[in-house]
Short mmCIF file of all heavy atoms in Angstrom, two decimals:
data_model
loop_
_atom_site.label_atom_id
_atom_site.label_comp_id
_atom_site.label_asym_id
_atom_site.label_seq_id
_atom_site.Cartn_x
_atom_site.Cartn_y
_atom_site.Cartn_z
N LEU A 1 -17.35 -6.90 6.07
CA LEU A 1 -17.42 -8.30 6.51
C LEU A 1 -16.48 -8.58 7.68
O LEU A 1 -16.36 -9.72 8.12
CB LEU A 1 -17.08 -9.23 5.34
CG LEU A 1 -18.11 -9.28 4.21
CD1 LEU A 1 -17.54 -10.01 3.00
CD2 LEU A 1 -19.41 -9.95 4.69
N ARG A 2 -15.81 -7.53 8.18
CA ARG A 2 -14.85 -7.62 9.30
C ARG A 2 -13.65 -8.52 8.95
O ARG A 2 -13.07 -9.19 9.81
CB ARG A 2 -15.53 -8.11 10.58
CG ARG A 2 -16.58 -7.17 11.11
CD ARG A 2 -15.98 -5.84 11.53
NE ARG A 2 -15.27 -5.92 12.81
CZ ARG A 2 -14.37 -5.01 13.20
NH1 ARG A 2 -14.06 -3.98 12.42
NH2 ARG A 2 -13.78 -5.14 14.36
N ILE A 3 -13.28 -8.50 7.68
CA ILE A 3 -12.04 -9.14 7.23
C ILE A 3 -10.93 -8.09 7.31
O ILE A 3 -11.15 -6.91 7.05
CB ILE A 3 -12.18 -9.65 5.78
CG1 ILE A 3 -13.35 -10.63 5.66
CG2 ILE A 3 -10.88 -10.28 5.30
CD1 ILE A 3 -13.21 -11.88 6.50
N LEU A 4 -9.74 -8.50 7.68
CA LEU A 4 -8.60 -7.59 7.76
C LEU A 4 -7.80 -7.69 6.46
O LEU A 4 -7.10 -8.67 6.23
CB LEU A 4 -7.72 -7.95 8.97
CG LEU A 4 -6.70 -6.90 9.41
CD1 LEU A 4 -6.37 -7.06 10.89
CD2 LEU A 4 -5.42 -6.96 8.58
N PRO A 5 -7.93 -6.69 5.58
CA PRO A 5 -7.17 -6.74 4.32
C PRO A 5 -5.67 -6.60 4.55
O PRO A 5 -5.24 -5.73 5.32
CB PRO A 5 -7.72 -5.54 3.53
CG PRO A 5 -9.00 -5.18 4.20
CD PRO A 5 -8.81 -5.53 5.64
N ILE A 6 -4.90 -7.44 3.89
CA ILE A 6 -3.44 -7.31 3.88
C ILE A 6 -3.05 -6.96 2.45
O ILE A 6 -3.21 -7.76 1.54
CB ILE A 6 -2.75 -8.59 4.34
CG1 ILE A 6 -3.16 -8.92 5.78
CG2 ILE A 6 -1.23 -8.45 4.23
CD1 ILE A 6 -2.56 -10.21 6.32
N VAL A 7 -2.57 -5.74 2.27
CA VAL A 7 -2.32 -5.19 0.95
C VAL A 7 -0.82 -5.18 0.67
O VAL A 7 -0.01 -4.86 1.55
CB VAL A 7 -2.87 -3.75 0.84
CG1 VAL A 7 -2.69 -3.21 -0.58
CG2 VAL A 7 -4.33 -3.69 1.27
N ASN A 8 -0.46 -5.53 -0.54
CA ASN A 8 0.93 -5.43 -0.98
C ASN A 8 0.93 -5.13 -2.47
O ASN A 8 -0.08 -5.32 -3.16
CB ASN A 8 1.69 -6.73 -0.71
CG ASN A 8 3.21 -6.56 -0.76
OD1 ASN A 8 3.72 -5.48 -1.04
ND2 ASN A 8 3.93 -7.63 -0.48
N GLU A 9 2.05 -4.61 -2.94
CA GLU A 9 2.18 -4.46 -4.38
C GLU A 9 2.27 -5.84 -5.01
O GLU A 9 2.89 -6.75 -4.45
CB GLU A 9 3.43 -3.65 -4.73
CG GLU A 9 3.62 -3.47 -6.23
CD GLU A 9 4.58 -2.34 -6.59
OE1 GLU A 9 5.30 -1.88 -5.71
OE2 GLU A 9 4.58 -1.94 -7.77
N ASN A 10 1.66 -5.99 -6.17
CA ASN A 10 1.69 -7.27 -6.86
C ASN A 10 3.04 -7.40 -7.59
O ASN A 10 3.13 -7.24 -8.81
CB ASN A 10 0.52 -7.38 -7.84
CG ASN A 10 0.30 -8.80 -8.32
OD1 ASN A 10 1.15 -9.66 -8.13
ND2 ASN A 10 -0.84 -9.05 -8.95
N ASP A 11 4.08 -7.70 -6.82
CA ASP A 11 5.43 -7.73 -7.36
C ASP A 11 5.62 -8.77 -8.45
O ASP A 11 6.51 -8.65 -9.29
CB ASP A 11 6.44 -8.02 -6.24
CG ASP A 11 6.58 -6.85 -5.27
OD1 ASP A 11 6.88 -5.74 -5.73
OD2 ASP A 11 6.38 -7.05 -4.07
N THR A 12 4.81 -9.82 -8.45
CA THR A 12 5.00 -10.89 -9.43
C THR A 12 4.68 -10.42 -10.85
O THR A 12 5.25 -10.92 -11.81
CB THR A 12 4.12 -12.10 -9.06
OG1 THR A 12 4.47 -12.53 -7.74
CG2 THR A 12 4.34 -13.25 -10.02
N VAL A 13 3.78 -9.45 -10.99
CA VAL A 13 3.42 -9.00 -12.33
C VAL A 13 3.80 -7.54 -12.59
O VAL A 13 3.76 -7.09 -13.74
CB VAL A 13 1.90 -9.17 -12.60
CG1 VAL A 13 1.51 -10.63 -12.46
CG2 VAL A 13 1.08 -8.30 -11.66
N ALA A 14 4.17 -6.79 -11.54
CA ALA A 14 4.53 -5.39 -11.73
C ALA A 14 5.83 -5.28 -12.52
O ALA A 14 6.70 -6.13 -12.43
CB ALA A 14 4.68 -4.69 -10.38
N THR A 15 5.93 -4.21 -13.29
CA THR A 15 7.16 -3.94 -14.03
C THR A 15 7.80 -2.69 -13.48
O THR A 15 7.20 -1.93 -12.72
CB THR A 15 6.87 -3.74 -15.53
OG1 THR A 15 6.10 -2.55 -15.68
CG2 THR A 15 6.10 -4.92 -16.10
N HIS A 16 9.07 -2.45 -13.84
CA HIS A 16 9.76 -1.26 -13.36
C HIS A 16 8.99 0.01 -13.73
O HIS A 16 8.97 0.98 -12.98
CB HIS A 16 11.16 -1.19 -13.97
CG HIS A 16 12.11 -2.20 -13.40
ND1 HIS A 16 12.35 -2.31 -12.05
CD2 HIS A 16 12.89 -3.14 -14.00
CE1 HIS A 16 13.24 -3.27 -11.83
NE2 HIS A 16 13.57 -3.80 -13.00
N GLU A 17 8.33 -0.01 -14.89
CA GLU A 17 7.67 1.18 -15.38
C GLU A 17 6.39 1.52 -14.63
O GLU A 17 5.96 2.67 -14.60
CB GLU A 17 7.34 1.03 -16.88
CG GLU A 17 8.57 1.04 -17.80
CD GLU A 17 9.35 -0.27 -17.75
OE1 GLU A 17 8.79 -1.29 -17.28
OE2 GLU A 17 10.52 -0.27 -18.17
N ILE A 18 5.74 0.51 -14.03
CA ILE A 18 4.44 0.76 -13.41
C ILE A 18 4.44 0.48 -11.91
O ILE A 18 3.39 0.37 -11.30
CB ILE A 18 3.34 -0.08 -14.09
CG1 ILE A 18 3.61 -1.59 -13.91
CG2 ILE A 18 3.20 0.27 -15.55
CD1 ILE A 18 2.43 -2.46 -14.36
N ARG A 19 5.60 0.39 -11.29
CA ARG A 19 5.66 0.11 -9.86
C ARG A 19 5.31 1.37 -9.06
O ARG A 19 5.49 2.50 -9.52
CB ARG A 19 7.05 -0.38 -9.47
CG ARG A 19 7.41 -1.74 -10.04
CD ARG A 19 8.81 -2.14 -9.62
NE ARG A 19 8.87 -2.37 -8.19
CZ ARG A 19 8.63 -3.54 -7.60
NH1 ARG A 19 8.30 -4.58 -8.35
NH2 ARG A 19 8.72 -3.69 -6.31
N PHE A 20 4.82 1.15 -7.85
CA PHE A 20 4.55 2.27 -6.95
C PHE A 20 5.86 2.95 -6.53
O PHE A 20 5.88 4.12 -6.22
CB PHE A 20 3.82 1.79 -5.69
CG PHE A 20 2.41 1.39 -5.93
CD1 PHE A 20 2.05 0.05 -5.98
CD2 PHE A 20 1.42 2.34 -6.10
CE1 PHE A 20 0.73 -0.33 -6.19
CE2 PHE A 20 0.10 1.97 -6.33
CZ PHE A 20 -0.23 0.64 -6.37
N GLY A 21 6.94 2.18 -6.52
CA GLY A 21 8.23 2.72 -6.09
C GLY A 21 8.57 2.27 -4.69
O GLY A 21 9.69 1.89 -4.41
N ASP A 22 7.61 2.29 -3.79
CA ASP A 22 7.80 1.79 -2.43
C ASP A 22 6.42 1.66 -1.81
O ASP A 22 5.45 2.25 -2.27
CB ASP A 22 8.67 2.76 -1.62
CG ASP A 22 8.06 4.14 -1.54
OD1 ASP A 22 7.15 4.32 -0.71
OD2 ASP A 22 8.46 5.02 -2.32
N ASN A 23 6.33 0.86 -0.75
CA ASN A 23 5.03 0.62 -0.16
C ASN A 23 4.57 1.74 0.76
O ASN A 23 3.43 1.74 1.22
CB ASN A 23 5.02 -0.72 0.57
CG ASN A 23 4.62 -1.86 -0.35
OD1 ASN A 23 4.41 -1.65 -1.55
ND2 ASN A 23 4.52 -3.06 0.18
N ASP A 24 5.44 2.71 1.07
CA ASP A 24 4.98 3.90 1.78
C ASP A 24 3.99 4.65 0.89
O ASP A 24 2.92 5.07 1.33
CB ASP A 24 6.15 4.81 2.16
CG ASP A 24 7.08 4.17 3.16
OD1 ASP A 24 6.57 3.54 4.11
OD2 ASP A 24 8.31 4.28 3.01
N ARG A 25 4.36 4.81 -0.37
CA ARG A 25 3.46 5.48 -1.32
C ARG A 25 2.18 4.66 -1.51
O ARG A 25 1.07 5.21 -1.55
CB ARG A 25 4.17 5.67 -2.66
CG ARG A 25 3.27 6.30 -3.74
CD ARG A 25 4.05 6.59 -5.02
NE ARG A 25 3.17 6.99 -6.10
CZ ARG A 25 2.64 8.20 -6.24
NH1 ARG A 25 2.92 9.14 -5.35
NH2 ARG A 25 1.85 8.49 -7.26
N LEU A 26 2.33 3.34 -1.63
CA LEU A 26 1.15 2.49 -1.76
C LEU A 26 0.22 2.68 -0.57
O LEU A 26 -1.00 2.80 -0.73
CB LEU A 26 1.57 1.02 -1.87
CG LEU A 26 0.45 -0.02 -1.80
CD1 LEU A 26 -0.57 0.20 -2.90
CD2 LEU A 26 1.02 -1.43 -1.87
N ALA A 27 0.78 2.74 0.63
CA ALA A 27 -0.04 2.91 1.84
C ALA A 27 -0.79 4.24 1.81
O ALA A 27 -1.95 4.31 2.21
CB ALA A 27 0.83 2.82 3.08
N ALA A 28 -0.12 5.30 1.34
CA ALA A 28 -0.78 6.60 1.24
C ALA A 28 -1.93 6.54 0.24
O ALA A 28 -3.01 7.11 0.48
CB ALA A 28 0.22 7.67 0.84
N LEU A 29 -1.72 5.86 -0.88
CA LEU A 29 -2.77 5.74 -1.88
C LEU A 29 -3.94 4.88 -1.38
O LEU A 29 -5.10 5.16 -1.66
CB LEU A 29 -2.20 5.15 -3.17
CG LEU A 29 -1.22 6.07 -3.91
CD1 LEU A 29 -0.52 5.32 -5.04
CD2 LEU A 29 -1.93 7.30 -4.46
N VAL A 30 -3.62 3.85 -0.60
CA VAL A 30 -4.67 3.02 -0.01
C VAL A 30 -5.47 3.84 1.00
O VAL A 30 -6.70 3.74 1.07
CB VAL A 30 -4.07 1.76 0.65
CG1 VAL A 30 -5.11 1.05 1.52
CG2 VAL A 30 -3.56 0.80 -0.42
N SER A 31 -4.78 4.68 1.78
CA SER A 31 -5.49 5.51 2.75
C SER A 31 -6.44 6.47 2.04
O SER A 31 -7.53 6.78 2.55
CB SER A 31 -4.50 6.28 3.64
OG SER A 31 -3.86 7.32 2.95
N GLN A 32 -6.06 6.94 0.86
CA GLN A 32 -6.96 7.76 0.05
C GLN A 32 -8.13 6.92 -0.46
O GLN A 32 -9.28 7.35 -0.42
CB GLN A 32 -6.21 8.36 -1.15
CG GLN A 32 -5.25 9.47 -0.81
CD GLN A 32 -4.62 10.05 -2.08
OE1 GLN A 32 -4.93 9.65 -3.19
NE2 GLN A 32 -3.73 11.00 -1.90
N LEU A 33 -7.81 5.73 -0.94
CA LEU A 33 -8.82 4.85 -1.53
C LEU A 33 -9.94 4.54 -0.55
O LEU A 33 -11.12 4.53 -0.92
CB LEU A 33 -8.15 3.55 -2.00
CG LEU A 33 -8.96 2.59 -2.86
CD1 LEU A 33 -9.16 3.17 -4.25
CD2 LEU A 33 -8.26 1.24 -2.95
N VAL A 34 -9.58 4.31 0.72
CA VAL A 34 -10.59 3.91 1.72
C VAL A 34 -10.99 5.07 2.63
O VAL A 34 -11.76 4.88 3.57
CB VAL A 34 -10.08 2.72 2.57
CG1 VAL A 34 -9.76 1.53 1.70
CG2 VAL A 34 -8.87 3.12 3.42
N GLU A 35 -10.44 6.28 2.36
CA GLU A 35 -10.71 7.45 3.19
C GLU A 35 -10.45 7.16 4.66
O GLU A 35 -11.31 7.32 5.54
CB GLU A 35 -12.15 7.94 2.98
CG GLU A 35 -12.40 8.44 1.56
CD GLU A 35 -13.79 9.08 1.40
OE1 GLU A 35 -14.63 8.91 2.30
OE2 GLU A 35 -13.99 9.75 0.38
N ALA A 36 -9.22 6.74 4.94
CA ALA A 36 -8.84 6.36 6.31
C ALA A 36 -8.79 7.57 7.23
O ALA A 36 -8.51 8.69 6.82
CB ALA A 36 -7.48 5.66 6.28
N ASP A 37 -9.05 7.32 8.50
CA ASP A 37 -8.92 8.34 9.53
C ASP A 37 -7.47 8.54 9.95
O ASP A 37 -7.12 9.58 10.52
CB ASP A 37 -9.72 7.96 10.78
CG ASP A 37 -11.22 7.98 10.53
OD1 ASP A 37 -11.67 8.80 9.71
OD2 ASP A 37 -11.94 7.18 11.14
N LEU A 38 -6.64 7.53 9.71
CA LEU A 38 -5.26 7.57 10.18
C LEU A 38 -4.40 6.63 9.34
O LEU A 38 -4.85 5.54 8.97
CB LEU A 38 -5.19 7.13 11.65
CG LEU A 38 -3.79 6.96 12.27
CD1 LEU A 38 -3.12 8.32 12.44
CD2 LEU A 38 -3.88 6.23 13.59
N LEU A 39 -3.18 7.07 9.06
CA LEU A 39 -2.17 6.22 8.42
C LEU A 39 -0.97 6.14 9.35
O LEU A 39 -0.44 7.18 9.78
CB LEU A 39 -1.74 6.80 7.07
CG LEU A 39 -0.53 6.16 6.39
CD1 LEU A 39 -0.75 4.68 6.12
CD2 LEU A 39 -0.17 6.90 5.10
N VAL A 40 -0.55 4.94 9.69
CA VAL A 40 0.63 4.72 10.53
C VAL A 40 1.70 4.05 9.68
O VAL A 40 1.48 2.96 9.14
CB VAL A 40 0.30 3.85 11.76
CG1 VAL A 40 1.56 3.63 12.60
CG2 VAL A 40 -0.80 4.49 12.60
N LEU A 41 2.84 4.71 9.54
CA LEU A 41 3.97 4.17 8.77
C LEU A 41 5.02 3.65 9.74
O LEU A 41 5.60 4.42 10.51
CB LEU A 41 4.56 5.26 7.87
CG LEU A 41 3.64 5.86 6.81
CD1 LEU A 41 4.33 7.01 6.08
CD2 LEU A 41 3.19 4.80 5.82
N LEU A 42 5.27 2.34 9.69
CA LEU A 42 6.21 1.70 10.60
C LEU A 42 7.50 1.34 9.89
O LEU A 42 7.51 0.98 8.71
CB LEU A 42 5.59 0.42 11.18
CG LEU A 42 4.27 0.57 11.93
CD1 LEU A 42 3.72 -0.81 12.27
CD2 LEU A 42 4.45 1.41 13.19
N SER A 43 8.61 1.43 10.63
CA SER A 43 9.90 1.04 10.07
C SER A 43 10.81 0.62 11.23
O SER A 43 10.33 0.27 12.31
CB SER A 43 10.53 2.20 9.29
OG SER A 43 10.93 3.23 10.18
N ASP A 44 12.12 0.66 11.01
CA ASP A 44 13.06 0.30 12.08
C ASP A 44 13.58 1.53 12.82
O ASP A 44 14.51 1.43 13.61
CB ASP A 44 14.22 -0.54 11.52
CG ASP A 44 14.86 0.11 10.30
OD1 ASP A 44 14.50 1.26 9.97
OD2 ASP A 44 15.71 -0.54 9.67
N VAL A 45 12.99 2.70 12.57
CA VAL A 45 13.38 3.95 13.24
C VAL A 45 12.17 4.50 13.97
O VAL A 45 11.05 4.46 13.45
CB VAL A 45 13.92 4.99 12.23
CG1 VAL A 45 14.35 6.26 12.94
CG2 VAL A 45 15.08 4.40 11.44
#
């Protein structure tokens, strides 16, 4: 539908036991989920 998904961990309901740990891992899992051609990880470095 040409919508731009903005994905984040659902921090409001996530618990310590079931968290992704960090959104870098979440991004990698999302890239698997959608079979992405490229994953770009941005930070302050």
Side-chain angles (χ1 to χ4, degrees):
L1 291 169
R2 296 296 284 161
I3 303 298
L4 195 154
I6 299 178
V7 184
N8 197 357
E9 180 162 14
N10 195 347
D11 290 304
T12 302
V13 300
T15 66
H16 288 305
E17 290 76 17
I18 62 171
R19 293 179 67 89
F20 289 104
D22 59 80
N23 271 3
D24 294 318
R25 177 175 171 79
L26 171 59
L29 292 170
V30 168
S31 72
Q32 288 184 1
L33 190 71
V34 301
E35 295 187 346
D37 292 329
L38 174 70
L39 170 60
V40 179
L41 299 175
L42 303 173
S43 70
D44 50 8
V45 181

